[in-house]
Amino acid sequence: MSDRRLAIDAWESLFRAQHEIFAEVGADFEQSGLQQGEYDVLLTVTRAPDMSARLRDVTRNMLISQPSVSRLVDRMVARGLLSKCIDPDDGRGAIVRATDTGARLFRSIAAVHSRSIAEHMSTLDDDELRTLLDLTQKLRPRRD
């Protein structure tokens, strides 16, 4: 690294931009019937084949601890947004699946939320968006 101060300034700017945008797009969930964490679970599950995913894969995509994800999933099951069963390939794990209700609610909010994200990111052109994507992926630890 050539300039420590530059690295710190860049980190702070990245952190503040993410925090400020996250707070603004978080408003998309205020009247939606879903919390942002529930949306994130449904995002992972609905993108998976048959709208089903291993609980550990859902946890890997979340920014909260495994016990917190498990509690969140259990609350979503109780609300009828997900179903949960033992993983037939690994009896220690679980498979979660979006219910029709969960998928329908997710799709209705996803339309609003994706427009909100696109609006906030519209200050960047396509080349800048690709560069941002490349840079943020480069900063993230690799998971093999």
Coordinates of all heavy atoms in Angstrom, one line a residue, residues 24-112:
E24 N -31.2 5.2 3.8 CA -32.3 5.7 2.9 C -33.1 4.6 2.2 O -34.3 4.7 2.2 CB -31.6 6.6 1.8 CG -31.1 7.9 2.4 CD -30.5 8.8 1.3 OE1 -30.8 8.7 0.1 OE2 -29.7 9.7 1.7
V25 N -32.4 3.6 1.7 CA -33.2 2.5 1.1 C -33.9 1.6 2.1 O -34.9 0.9 1.8 CB -32.4 1.7 0.1 CG1 -31.8 2.5 -1.0 CG2 -31.3 0.9 0.8
G26 N -33.5 1.7 3.3 CA -34.2 1.0 4.4 C -35.6 1.5 4.6 O -36.5 0.8 5.1
A27 N -35.9 2.7 4.2 CA -37.2 3.3 4.2 C -38.2 2.5 3.3 O -39.4 2.5 3.6 CB -37.2 4.7 3.8
D28 N -37.7 1.7 2.4 CA -38.5 0.9 1.5 C -39.3 -0.1 2.3 O -40.3 -0.6 1.8 CB -37.7 0.2 0.4 CG -36.9 1.1 -0.5 OD1 -37.3 2.3 -0.6 OD2 -36.0 0.6 -1.2
F29 N -38.8 -0.5 3.5 CA -39.4 -1.6 4.2 C -40.4 -1.1 5.3 O -41.1 -1.9 5.9 CB -38.3 -2.4 4.9 CG -37.4 -3.0 3.9 CD1 -36.2 -2.4 3.5 CD2 -37.8 -4.2 3.2 CE1 -35.4 -3.0 2.6 CE2 -37.0 -4.8 2.3 CZ -35.8 -4.1 1.9
E30 N -40.5 0.2 5.5 CA -41.3 0.8 6.6 C -42.8 0.3 6.5 O -43.4 0.0 7.5 CB -41.2 2.3 6.6 CG -39.8 2.7 7.1 CD -39.6 4.2 7.1 OE1 -40.6 4.9 6.7 OE2 -38.5 4.6 7.5
Q31 N -43.4 0.3 5.4 CA -44.8 -0.1 5.2 C -45.0 -1.4 4.4 O -46.1 -1.6 3.9 CB -45.6 1.1 4.5 CG -45.5 2.4 5.2 CD -46.1 2.4 6.6 OE1 -47.1 1.8 6.8 NE2 -45.4 3.1 7.5
S32 N -43.9 -2.1 4.3 CA -43.9 -3.3 3.4 C -44.5 -4.6 4.0 O -44.9 -5.5 3.2 CB -42.5 -3.5 2.9 OG -41.7 -4.1 4.0
G33 N -44.5 -4.7 5.3 CA -44.8 -6.0 5.8 C -43.7 -6.9 6.0 O -43.8 -8.1 6.5
L34 N -42.5 -6.5 5.6 CA -41.2 -7.3 5.8 C -40.2 -6.4 6.4 O -40.1 -5.2 6.1 CB -40.7 -7.7 4.4 CG -41.1 -9.0 3.8 CD1 -40.3 -9.3 2.5 CD2 -41.1 -10.2 4.7
Q35 N -39.4 -7.0 7.3 CA -38.2 -6.4 7.8 C -37.1 -6.6 6.8 O -37.1 -7.5 6.0 CB -37.8 -6.9 9.1 CG -38.8 -6.8 10.2 CD -38.4 -7.6 11.5 OE1 -37.3 -8.2 11.5 NE2 -39.3 -7.5 12.5
Q36 N -36.1 -5.8 6.8 CA -35.0 -5.9 5.9 C -34.3 -7.2 6.0 O -33.9 -7.8 4.9 CB -34.0 -4.8 6.0 CG -33.0 -4.7 4.8 CD -32.5 -3.3 4.6 OE1 -32.7 -2.4 5.4 NE2 -31.7 -3.2 3.6
G37 N -34.1 -7.8 7.2 CA -33.5 -9.1 7.3 C -34.4 -10.2 6.7 O -33.8 -11.1 6.1
E38 N -35.7 -10.1 6.8 CA -36.6 -11.0 6.2 C -36.5 -11.0 4.7 O -36.5 -12.0 4.0 CB -38.0 -10.8 6.6 CG -38.3 -11.1 8.1 CD -39.6 -10.6 8.6 OE1 -40.2 -9.6 8.1 OE2 -40.2 -11.3 9.5
Y39 N -36.4 -9.7 4.2 CA -36.2 -9.6 2.7 C -34.9 -10.2 2.3 O -34.9 -10.9 1.2 CB -36.1 -8.1 2.4 CG -35.9 -7.7 1.0 CD1 -36.9 -7.6 0.1 CD2 -34.6 -7.6 0.5 CE1 -36.7 -7.4 -1.3 CE2 -34.3 -7.3 -0.8 CZ -35.4 -7.2 -1.7 OH -35.1 -6.9 -3.0
D40 N -33.8 -10.1 3.0 CA -32.5 -10.7 2.7 C -32.6 -12.2 2.6 O -32.1 -12.9 1.7 CB -31.4 -10.3 3.6 CG -31.1 -8.8 3.4 OD1 -31.4 -8.2 2.4 OD2 -30.4 -8.2 4.3
V41 N -33.4 -12.8 3.6 CA -33.6 -14.3 3.6 C -34.3 -14.7 2.3 O -33.9 -15.6 1.6 CB -34.3 -14.7 4.9 CG1 -34.7 -16.2 4.7 CG2 -33.4 -14.5 6.1
L42 N -35.4 -14.0 2.1 CA -36.3 -14.3 0.9 C -35.5 -14.1 -0.4 O -35.7 -14.8 -1.4 CB -37.6 -13.5 0.9 CG -38.6 -14.0 1.9 CD1 -39.7 -13.0 2.1 CD2 -39.1 -15.4 1.5
L43 N -34.6 -13.1 -0.4 CA -33.8 -12.8 -1.6 C -33.0 -14.1 -1.9 O -32.9 -14.6 -3.1 CB -32.9 -11.6 -1.4 CG -31.9 -11.3 -2.5 CD1 -32.6 -10.9 -3.8 CD2 -30.9 -10.2 -2.1
T44 N -32.3 -14.6 -0.9 CA -31.5 -15.8 -1.1 C -32.3 -17.0 -1.5 O -32.0 -17.7 -2.4 CB -30.7 -16.1 0.2 OG1 -29.8 -15.0 0.5 CG2 -29.8 -17.3 0.0
V45 N -33.4 -17.2 -0.8 CA -34.2 -18.4 -1.0 C -34.9 -18.3 -2.4 O -34.9 -19.3 -3.1 CB -35.3 -18.5 0.1 CG1 -36.2 -19.7 -0.2 CG2 -34.5 -18.8 1.4
T46 N -35.5 -17.2 -2.8 CA -36.2 -17.1 -4.0 C -35.3 -17.2 -5.3 O -35.7 -17.5 -6.3 CB -37.1 -15.8 -4.1 OG1 -36.3 -14.7 -4.0 CG2 -38.2 -15.8 -3.1
R47 N -34.0 -16.8 -5.1 CA -33.1 -17.0 -6.2 C -32.6 -18.4 -6.4 O -32.0 -18.7 -7.4 CB -31.8 -16.1 -5.9 CG -32.1 -14.6 -6.2 CD -30.8 -13.8 -6.0 NE -31.0 -12.4 -6.4 CZ -30.1 -11.5 -6.3 NH1 -28.9 -11.8 -5.7 NH2 -30.3 -10.3 -6.7
A48 N -32.8 -19.2 -5.4 CA -32.3 -20.6 -5.5 C -33.3 -21.5 -6.3 O -34.5 -21.1 -6.4 CB -32.2 -21.2 -4.1
P49 N -32.8 -22.6 -6.8 CA -33.7 -23.5 -7.6 C -34.9 -23.9 -6.7 O -34.7 -24.2 -5.5 CB -32.8 -24.7 -8.0 CG -31.4 -24.1 -7.9 CD -31.4 -23.0 -6.8
D50 N -36.1 -23.9 -7.3 CA -37.3 -24.3 -6.5 C -37.5 -23.5 -5.3 O -38.2 -23.9 -4.4 CB -37.2 -25.8 -6.1 CG -37.2 -26.7 -7.3 OD1 -37.8 -26.4 -8.3 OD2 -36.5 -27.8 -7.2
M51 N -37.0 -22.3 -5.3 CA -37.1 -21.4 -4.1 C -36.8 -22.0 -2.8 O -37.4 -21.8 -1.8 CB -38.5 -20.7 -4.1 CG -38.8 -19.8 -5.3 SD -40.2 -18.7 -5.1 CE -41.5 -19.9 -4.8
S52 N -35.8 -22.9 -2.8 CA -35.3 -23.6 -1.7 C -33.8 -23.5 -1.5 O -33.1 -23.6 -2.5 CB -35.7 -25.1 -1.8 OG -37.1 -25.3 -1.9
A53 N -33.4 -23.3 -0.3 CA -32.0 -23.2 0.0 C -31.6 -23.8 1.3 O -32.5 -23.9 2.2 CB -31.5 -21.7 0.0
R54 N -30.4 -24.3 1.4 CA -29.9 -24.8 2.7 C -29.8 -23.6 3.7 O -29.4 -22.5 3.3 CB -28.6 -25.5 2.6 CG -28.6 -26.8 1.8 CD -27.3 -27.4 1.8 NE -27.4 -28.7 1.2 CZ -26.5 -29.3 0.5 NH1 -25.4 -28.6 0.2 NH2 -26.7 -30.5 0.0
L55 N -30.2 -23.9 4.9 CA -30.1 -22.9 5.9 C -28.7 -22.3 6.0 O -28.5 -21.1 6.2 CB -30.6 -23.4 7.3 CG -30.7 -22.4 8.4 CD1 -31.5 -21.2 8.0 CD2 -31.2 -23.0 9.7
R56 N -27.7 -23.1 5.9 CA -26.3 -22.7 6.0 C -26.0 -21.7 4.8 O -25.2 -20.8 5.0 CB -25.3 -23.8 6.1 CG -25.2 -24.6 4.8 CD -24.1 -25.7 5.0 NE -24.0 -26.5 3.8 CZ -24.0 -27.8 3.9 NH1 -24.0 -28.4 5.0 NH2 -24.0 -28.5 2.7
D57 N -26.6 -21.9 3.7 CA -26.4 -21.0 2.5 C -27.0 -19.7 2.8 O -26.5 -18.6 2.4 CB -26.8 -21.6 1.2 CG -26.0 -22.9 0.9 OD1 -24.8 -22.9 1.2 OD2 -26.6 -23.7 0.2
V58 N -28.2 -19.7 3.4 CA -28.9 -18.5 3.8 C -28.0 -17.7 4.8 O -27.8 -16.5 4.6 CB -30.3 -18.8 4.4 CG1 -30.9 -17.5 4.9 CG2 -31.2 -19.4 3.3
T59 N -27.5 -18.4 5.8 CA -26.7 -17.8 6.8 C -25.4 -17.2 6.2 O -25.0 -16.1 6.6 CB -26.3 -18.8 7.9 OG1 -27.5 -19.4 8.5 CG2 -25.4 -18.2 8.9
R60 N -24.8 -17.8 5.2 CA -23.6 -17.3 4.6 C -23.9 -16.0 3.9 O -23.0 -15.2 3.8 CB -23.1 -18.4 3.6 CG -21.8 -18.0 3.0 CD -21.2 -19.1 2.0 NE -21.2 -20.4 2.7 CZ -21.7 -21.5 2.2 NH1 -22.4 -21.5 1.0 NH2 -21.6 -22.6 2.8
N61 N -25.1 -15.8 3.4 CA -25.4 -14.5 2.7 C -25.8 -13.4 3.6 O -26.1 -12.3 3.2 CB -26.5 -14.8 1.7 CG -25.9 -15.6 0.5 OD1 -24.7 -15.4 0.1 ND2 -26.7 -16.4 -0.1
M62 N -26.0 -13.7 4.9 CA -26.5 -12.7 5.8 C -25.4 -12.0 6.6 O -24.3 -12.5 6.6 CB -27.5 -13.4 6.8 CG -28.7 -14.1 6.2 SD -29.9 -12.9 5.5 CE -30.5 -12.2 7.0
L63 N -25.7 -10.9 7.1 CA -24.7 -10.1 7.9 C -24.9 -10.2 9.4 O -24.5 -9.4 10.1 CB -24.7 -8.6 7.4 CG -24.4 -8.4 5.9 CD1 -24.5 -6.9 5.6 CD2 -23.0 -8.9 5.6
I64 N -25.6 -11.3 9.8 CA -25.9 -11.5 11.2 C -25.4 -12.9 11.5 O -25.2 -13.7 10.6 CB -27.4 -11.3 11.6 CG1 -28.3 -12.2 10.7 CG2 -27.7 -9.8 11.4 CD1 -29.8 -12.0 11.1
S65 N -25.3 -13.2 12.8 CA -24.8 -14.5 13.3 C -25.8 -15.7 12.9 O -27.0 -15.5 12.7 CB -24.6 -14.5 14.8 OG -25.8 -14.4 15.5
Q66 N -25.2 -16.9 12.9 CA -26.0 -18.1 12.6 C -27.2 -18.2 13.6 O -28.3 -18.5 13.1 CB -25.1 -19.3 12.6 CG -25.8 -20.6 12.3 CD -26.5 -21.3 13.5 OE1 -25.9 -21.2 14.6 NE2 -27.6 -21.9 13.2
P67 N -27.0 -18.0 14.9 CA -28.2 -18.2 15.8 C -29.3 -17.1 15.5 O -30.5 -17.4 15.5 CB -27.6 -18.0 17.2 CG -26.2 -18.3 17.1 CD -25.8 -17.9 15.7
S68 N -28.8 -15.9 15.1 CA -29.8 -14.9 14.8 C -30.6 -15.2 13.5 O -31.8 -15.0 13.4 CB -29.1 -13.5 14.6 OG -28.5 -13.1 15.8
V69 N -29.9 -15.8 12.5 CA -30.5 -16.2 11.3 C -31.5 -17.3 11.6 O -32.7 -17.3 11.1 CB -29.5 -16.7 10.2 CG1 -30.2 -17.3 9.0 CG2 -28.6 -15.5 9.8
S70 N -31.1 -18.3 12.4 CA -32.0 -19.4 12.8 C -33.3 -18.9 13.4 O -34.4 -19.3 13.1 CB -31.3 -20.4 13.7 OG -30.3 -21.0 13.0
R71 N -33.2 -17.9 14.3 CA -34.3 -17.3 15.0 C -35.2 -16.6 14.0 O -36.4 -16.6 14.0 CB -33.9 -16.4 16.2 CG -33.4 -17.2 17.4 CD -33.2 -16.3 18.6 NE -32.3 -15.2 18.4 CZ -31.0 -15.3 18.5 NH1 -30.4 -16.4 19.0 NH2 -30.2 -14.2 18.3
L72 N -34.6 -15.8 13.1 CA -35.3 -15.1 12.1 C -36.1 -16.0 11.2 O -37.3 -15.8 10.9 CB -34.3 -14.2 11.3 CG -34.9 -13.4 10.1 CD1 -35.9 -12.4 10.6 CD2 -33.8 -12.7 9.4
V73 N -35.4 -17.1 10.7 CA -36.1 -18.1 9.9 C -37.3 -18.7 10.6 O -38.4 -18.8 10.0 CB -35.1 -19.1 9.4 CG1 -35.8 -20.4 8.8 CG2 -34.2 -18.5 8.3
D74 N -37.1 -19.0 11.9 CA -38.2 -19.6 12.7 C -39.4 -18.7 12.7 O -40.5 -19.1 12.6 CB -37.7 -20.0 14.0 CG -36.8 -21.3 14.0 OD1 -36.8 -22.0 13.0 OD2 -36.1 -21.5 15.0
R75 N -39.1 -17.4 12.9 CA -40.2 -16.4 13.0 C -40.9 -16.3 11.6 O -42.1 -16.1 11.5 CB -39.7 -15.0 13.4 CG -39.3 -14.9 14.8 CD -39.0 -13.5 15.3 NE -38.0 -12.8 14.5 CZ -36.7 -12.7 14.8 NH1 -36.3 -13.3 15.9 NH2 -35.9 -12.0 14.1
M76 N -40.1 -16.4 10.5 CA -40.7 -16.3 9.2 C -41.5 -17.6 8.9 O -42.5 -17.5 8.2 CB -39.6 -16.2 8.1 CG -38.9 -14.8 8.2 SD -37.5 -14.6 7.1 CE -38.3 -14.5 5.5
V77 N -41.1 -18.7 9.4 CA -41.9 -19.9 9.3 C -43.2 -19.7 10.0 O -44.3 -20.0 9.5 CB -41.1 -21.2 9.8 CG1 -42.1 -22.4 10.0 CG2 -39.9 -21.5 8.9
A78 N -43.2 -19.2 11.2 CA -44.4 -19.0 12.0 C -45.3 -18.0 11.3 O -46.5 -18.1 11.4 CB -44.0 -18.4 13.4
R79 N -44.8 -17.0 10.5 CA -45.6 -16.1 9.8 C -46.1 -16.6 8.5 O -46.8 -15.9 7.8 CB -44.7 -14.8 9.5 CG -44.5 -13.9 10.7 CD -43.8 -12.7 10.4 NE -44.5 -11.9 9.4 CZ -43.9 -10.9 8.7 NH1 -42.7 -10.7 8.8 NH2 -44.7 -10.3 7.8
G80 N -45.6 -17.8 8.1 CA -46.1 -18.4 6.8 C -45.3 -17.9 5.6 O -45.8 -18.1 4.5
L81 N -44.2 -17.3 5.8 CA -43.4 -16.8 4.7 C -42.4 -17.9 4.2 O -42.0 -17.8 3.0 CB -42.6 -15.6 5.1 CG -43.4 -14.4 5.6 CD1 -42.5 -13.3 6.2 CD2 -44.3 -13.9 4.6
L82 N -42.0 -18.8 5.0 CA -41.1 -19.9 4.7 C -41.6 -21.2 5.2 O -42.4 -21.2 6.2 CB -39.7 -19.7 5.3 CG -38.9 -18.5 4.9 CD1 -37.6 -18.4 5.8 CD2 -38.5 -18.6 3.4
S83 N -41.2 -22.3 4.7 CA -41.3 -23.6 5.3 C -39.9 -24.1 5.5 O -39.0 -23.7 4.9 CB -42.1 -24.6 4.4 OG -41.4 -24.8 3.2
K84 N -39.8 -25.0 6.5 CA -38.5 -25.5 6.9 C -38.6 -27.0 7.1 O -39.5 -27.5 7.7 CB -38.1 -24.8 8.2 CG -36.7 -25.2 8.7 CD -36.4 -24.3 9.9 CE -35.2 -24.8 10.7 NZ -35.0 -24.0 11.9
C85 N -37.6 -27.8 6.6 CA -37.6 -29.2 6.8 C -36.1 -29.7 6.9 O -35.2 -28.9 6.6 CB -38.3 -30.0 5.7 SG -37.5 -29.8 4.1
I86 N -36.0 -30.9 7.4 CA -34.6 -31.5 7.5 C -34.1 -31.7 6.1 O -34.8 -32.1 5.2 CB -34.7 -32.9 8.3 CG1 -35.3 -32.7 9.7 CG2 -33.4 -33.6 8.3 CD1 -34.4 -31.9 10.6
D87 N -32.8 -31.4 6.0 CA -32.1 -31.6 4.7 C -31.9 -33.1 4.5 O -31.3 -33.8 5.3 CB -30.7 -30.9 4.8 CG -29.9 -31.0 3.5 OD1 -30.3 -31.8 2.6 OD2 -29.0 -30.3 3.3
P88 N -32.6 -33.7 3.4 CA -32.5 -35.1 3.2 C -31.1 -35.6 3.0 O -30.7 -36.8 3.2 CB -33.4 -35.4 2.0 CG -33.5 -34.1 1.4 CD -33.3 -33.0 2.4
D89 N -30.2 -34.7 2.5 CA -28.8 -35.1 2.2 C -27.9 -34.9 3.4 O -26.7 -35.4 3.4 CB -28.2 -34.3 1.0 CG -29.0 -34.5 -0.2 OD1 -29.5 -35.6 -0.4 OD2 -29.1 -33.6 -1.0
D90 N -28.3 -34.2 4.4 CA -27.5 -34.0 5.6 C -28.5 -33.7 6.8 O -29.0 -32.6 7.0 CB -26.6 -32.8 5.4 CG -25.8 -32.5 6.6 OD1 -25.9 -33.2 7.7 OD2 -25.0 -31.5 6.6
G91 N -28.8 -34.8 7.5 CA -29.8 -34.7 8.6 C -29.5 -33.6 9.7 O -30.4 -33.3 10.5
R92 N -28.3 -33.1 9.7 CA -27.9 -32.1 10.7 C -28.4 -30.7 10.2 O -28.5 -29.8 11.0 CB -26.4 -32.0 10.9 CG -25.9 -33.3 11.5 CD -24.4 -33.4 11.4 NE -24.0 -33.3 10.0 CZ -22.8 -33.1 9.5 NH1 -21.8 -32.9 10.4 NH2 -22.5 -33.1 8.2
G93 N -28.6 -30.6 8.9 CA -29.0 -29.3 8.4 C -30.5 -29.2 8.1 O -31.3 -30.1 8.3
A94 N -30.9 -28.0 7.6 CA -32.3 -27.7 7.2 C -32.3 -27.1 5.8 O -31.4 -26.4 5.4 CB -32.9 -26.8 8.3
I95 N -33.5 -27.3 5.2 CA -33.8 -26.7 3.9 C -35.0 -25.7 4.2 O -35.9 -26.0 4.9 CB -34.3 -27.7 2.9 CG1 -33.2 -28.7 2.6 CG2 -34.7 -27.0 1.6 CD1 -32.0 -28.2 1.8
V96 N -34.8 -24.5 3.7 CA -35.9 -23.5 3.8 C -36.4 -23.2 2.4 O -35.7 -23.2 1.5 CB -35.5 -22.2 4.6 CG1 -35.2 -22.5 6.0 CG2 -34.3 -21.6 3.9
R97 N -37.7 -23.0 2.4 CA -38.4 -22.8 1.1 C -39.4 -21.7 1.2 O -40.1 -21.6 2.2 CB -39.1 -24.1 0.6 CG -39.9 -23.9 -0.7 CD -40.5 -25.3 -1.1 NE -41.4 -25.2 -2.2 CZ -41.1 -24.9 -3.5 NH1 -39.8 -24.8 -3.8 NH2 -42.0 -24.9 -4.4
A98 N -39.4 -20.8 0.2 CA -40.3 -19.7 0.3 C -41.7 -20.2 0.0 O -41.9 -21.0 -0.9 CB -40.0 -18.6 -0.8
T99 N -42.7 -19.8 0.8 CA -44.1 -20.2 0.5 C -44.6 -19.3 -0.6 O -44.0 -18.3 -0.9 CB -44.9 -20.0 1.8 OG1 -44.9 -18.6 2.2 CG2 -44.4 -20.9 2.9
D100 N -45.8 -19.6 -1.1 CA -46.4 -18.7 -2.1 C -46.5 -17.3 -1.5 O -46.3 -16.3 -2.2 CB -47.7 -19.2 -2.6 CG -47.6 -20.5 -3.4 OD1 -46.4 -20.7 -3.9 OD2 -48.5 -21.2 -3.6
T101 N -47.0 -17.2 -0.2 CA -47.2 -15.9 0.4 C -45.9 -15.2 0.5 O -45.8 -14.0 0.2 CB -47.8 -16.1 1.8 OG1 -49.0 -16.8 1.7 CG2 -48.0 -14.8 2.6
G102 N -44.8 -15.9 1.0 CA -43.5 -15.3 1.1 C -42.9 -14.8 -0.2 O -42.4 -13.7 -0.3
A103 N -43.1 -15.6 -1.3 CA -42.6 -15.2 -2.6 C -43.3 -14.0 -3.1 O -42.7 -13.1 -3.7 CB -42.7 -16.4 -3.5
R104 N -44.6 -14.0 -3.0 CA -45.5 -12.9 -3.5 C -45.1 -11.6 -2.7 O -44.9 -10.6 -3.4 CB -46.9 -13.3 -3.3 CG -47.9 -12.4 -4.0 CD -49.4 -12.9 -4.0 NE -49.8 -13.6 -2.8 CZ -49.9 -15.0 -2.6 NH1 -49.6 -15.8 -3.6 NH2 -50.3 -15.5 -1.5
L105 N -45.0 -11.7 -1.4 CA -44.6 -10.5 -0.6 C -43.2 -10.0 -1.1 O -43.0 -8.8 -1.3 CB -44.7 -10.8 0.9 CG -44.4 -9.6 1.8 CD1 -45.3 -8.4 1.5 CD2 -44.5 -10.1 3.3
F106 N -42.3 -10.9 -1.2 CA -40.9 -10.6 -1.6 C -41.0 -9.8 -3.0 O -40.3 -8.8 -3.2 CB -40.0 -11.8 -1.7 CG -38.7 -11.5 -2.4 CD1 -37.7 -10.9 -1.7 CD2 -38.5 -11.8 -3.7 CE1 -36.5 -10.6 -2.3 CE2 -37.3 -11.5 -4.4 CZ -36.3 -10.9 -3.6
R107 N -41.7 -10.4 -4.0 CA -41.7 -9.8 -5.3 C -42.3 -8.4 -5.3 O -41.8 -7.5 -6.0 CB -42.5 -10.7 -6.3 CG -41.7 -11.9 -6.7 CD -42.4 -12.6 -7.9 NE -43.7 -13.1 -7.5 CZ -43.9 -14.3 -7.0 NH1 -42.9 -15.1 -6.8 NH2 -45.1 -14.7 -6.7
S108 N -43.3 -8.2 -4.5 CA -43.9 -6.9 -4.4 C -43.0 -5.8 -3.8 O -42.9 -4.7 -4.3 CB -45.2 -6.9 -3.6 OG -45.0 -7.1 -2.2
I109 N -42.2 -6.2 -2.8 CA -41.2 -5.3 -2.2 C -40.0 -5.2 -3.1 O -39.4 -4.1 -3.2 CB -40.9 -5.8 -0.8 CG1 -42.1 -5.7 0.1 CG2 -39.8 -4.9 -0.2 CD1 -42.1 -6.4 1.3
A110 N -39.6 -6.3 -3.7 CA -38.4 -6.2 -4.6 C -38.5 -5.2 -5.7 O -37.5 -4.5 -6.0 CB -38.1 -7.6 -5.1
A111 N -39.7 -5.1 -6.2 CA -39.9 -4.1 -7.3 C -39.6 -2.7 -6.8 O -38.9 -1.9 -7.5 CB -41.3 -4.2 -7.9
V112 N -40.1 -2.4 -5.7 CA -39.9 -1.0 -5.1 C -38.5 -0.8 -4.7 O -37.9 0.2 -5.0 CB -40.9 -0.8 -3.9 CG1 -40.5 0.4 -3.1 CG2 -42.3 -0.9 -4.3

